[in-house]
Amino acid sequence: MYTKKVFGIKDMAMWTRYETIVFLIIAIIEVALFVWSDQVIQFPFTPVALIGTAVAFIIGFQSNSAYGRIWEARQIWGAIVNSSRTFGMMAQDFITNEHTKNPISEEELQNERKIVIHRHIAWLTALRYSMRQSKPWEYVMREHTNKEWAKKIYVPEFNEDFDATIKNYLTEDDFKYLSNKGNKQTAVLYLQSNHLRQLKERGLIWEFSFLELENVIEELFTHQGKSERIKNFPYPRQFASLMHYFTWIFLLILPLAMASQFGEIAVKISDKIGSCPDWIIWLSVPFSMAVMWVFHTMNRIGRVGENPFEGSANDVPISTIARGIEIDMRQNLGEPKEDIPAPFEVRNHTQM
């Protein structure tokens, strides 16, 4: 998530520089054909304007849909924050000697709380790593200028080994259990539920408290499923592909239509003053470039927002959210300050 107040003109220019060069070349070639053919090769402006209107509507629809996916993803992870805080509070207050026939020491109680809370952090870790896995339809980070951006930001899931990271939050037996599981975040919640049941059977958790904790785990499964739905269900590729084709059809015929329009302007000027400089027609080059850049950039902005967990600067900052939850839970657990990790690094005004 880009957090600077304004996305700078320089950054925008660098992000779109290759497309801008392509637009310049296309515009010069088509205007040159118009001029050298003595205005025989031309394209009427009216159908181009109609196509442009249709493309503008489609781009607007795509942008709204992409933003809807981003906003839904942010709502899901906001709900994860709330459920995590609730779970952490319950884990600390519900694990007690109050209802057990075989009391254990406060140190042992605190260790049980720590295991439960650390396992929840392991669930967050497994979920965020799963959300960052590449899918065939995710292509933003494969584009050249987006790869340049990727070098300027820090995505923890791309730079830190999963096993080494999650091992810090699990017991050795739990880690071994996860090793052969495909959906590791689901496996962690199964482990969590099983452990809570064991604590209930030992009397360390009251039966009604156990049911409350199980309700929160049910919420976590729901949040996980919603997040996985967005990750695993792409923006319909036929819509995205046709949008891309329609946009380029419009961009390719626009300079010729613009040259034709400026040719008519040149004729009107000649009728009034008797002559018209040749460079009037060449003004269609910068005007064409401006329109082409706006349409293509709006299209591209919609495309980079289709997948909110891909690892781009437009992502929902799930790594930052997960680390924030971890810090809160471990601080409230009473762990030493030096044992609690720092927030993830923010590079180039981008939280991941």
Side-chain angles (χ1 to χ4, degrees), residues 78-288:
I80 287 174
V81 172
N82 297 336
S83 296
S84 296
R85 289 171 177 167
T86 301
F87 184 81
M89 176 268 294
M90 288 181 173
Q92 286 191 232
D93 291 345
F94 290 176
I95 301 176
T96 67
N97 282 320
E98 185 178 356
H99 301 282
T100 182
K101 296 179 181 179
N102 300 299
I104 59 178
S105 67
E106 182 60 33
E107 182 179 350
E108 290 175 306
L109 280 174
Q110 188 67 3
N111 185 58
E112 292 291 349
R113 296 169 187 142
K114 181 177 179 179
I115 290 173
V116 169
I117 288 176
H118 277 229
R119 191 183 288 117
H120 179 77
I121 297 170
W123 173 75
L124 289 167
T125 302
L127 183 59
R128 64 181 172 88
Y129 270 86
S130 175
M131 293 300 98
R132 298 288 192 208
Q133 290 180 359
S134 178
K135 297 293 183 180
W137 56 82
E138 294 178 344
Y139 54 89
V140 169
M141 298 307 291
R142 299 169 195 163
E143 295 180 344
H144 184 71
T145 47
N146 289 324
K147 287 182 179 179
E148 293 177 347
W149 265 97
K151 296 176 182 178
K152 299 178 182 180
I153 62 180
Y154 182 75
V155 184
E157 293 76 21
F158 296 165
N159 293 278
E160 300 174 8
D161 181 68
F162 171 74
D163 288 341
T165 300
I166 201 169
K167 197 171 185 179
N168 296 322
Y169 308 113
L170 297 172
T171 64
E172 187 174 341
D173 289 340
D174 285 356
F175 183 73
K176 288 180 180 178
Y177 177 82
L178 284 187
S179 61
N180 63 346
K181 300 297 185 295
N183 191 319
K184 298 188 185 302
Q185 56 271 25
T186 296
V188 172
L189 289 181
Y190 271 77
L191 283 171
Q192 191 76 287
S193 179
N194 182 263
H195 184 205
L196 293 174
R197 178 182 58 80
Q198 292 176 12
L199 293 177
K200 187 259 296 183
E201 291 172 351
R202 291 167 59 189
L204 297 176
I205 296 179
W206 188 35
E207 289 188 5
F208 288 104
S209 299
F210 170 72
L211 293 176
E212 288 295 328
L213 285 166
E214 288 291 292
N215 286 336
V216 178
I217 289 180
E218 181 182 358
E219 287 181 14
L220 297 177
F221 268 120
T222 301
H223 302 328
Q224 175 186 317
K226 290 179 179 179
S227 188
E228 289 172 339
R229 182 191 67 220
I230 293 178
K231 177 67 178 180
N232 298 324
F233 185 81
Y235 180 79
R237 303 322 303 156
Q238 64 271 31
F239 293 166
S241 299
L242 290 174
M243 225 308 294
H244 181 72
Y245 300 148
F246 293 160
T247 301
W248 272 102
I249 289 172
F250 171 70
L251 298 181
L252 289 173
I253 62 177
L254 177 66
L256 203 55
M258 194 74 79
S260 302
Q261 194 72 9
F262 274 84
E264 294 179 8
I265 294 173
V267 171
K268 292 179 180 178
I269 293 175
S270 297
D271 291 342
K272 288 189 175 183
I273 64 175
S275 64
C276 180
D278 294 336
W279 57 262
I280 292 292
I281 295 177
W282 286 97
L283 285 176
S284 57
V285 172
F287 278 90
S288 296

Side-chain angles (χ1 to χ4, degrees), residues 331 334-342:
Q331 283 178 345
E335 293 190 30
K337 184 177 180 181
E338 57 272 15
D339 292 344
I340 299 174

Side-chain angles (χ1 to χ4, degrees), residues 295-331:
F295 271 79
H296 187 273
T297 302
M298 289 301 298
N299 180 13
R300 193 175 179 190
I301 289 172
R303 286 191 290 120
V304 299
E306 290 174 5
N307 304 301
F309 305 126
E310 186 172 354
S312 73
N314 300 282
D315 274 21
V316 173
I318 59 176
S319 305
T320 300
I321 292 171
R323 177 54 58 87
I325 295 171
E326 176 182 357
I327 292 171
D328 285 347
M329 295 183 78
R330 295 179 70 174
Q331 283 178 345

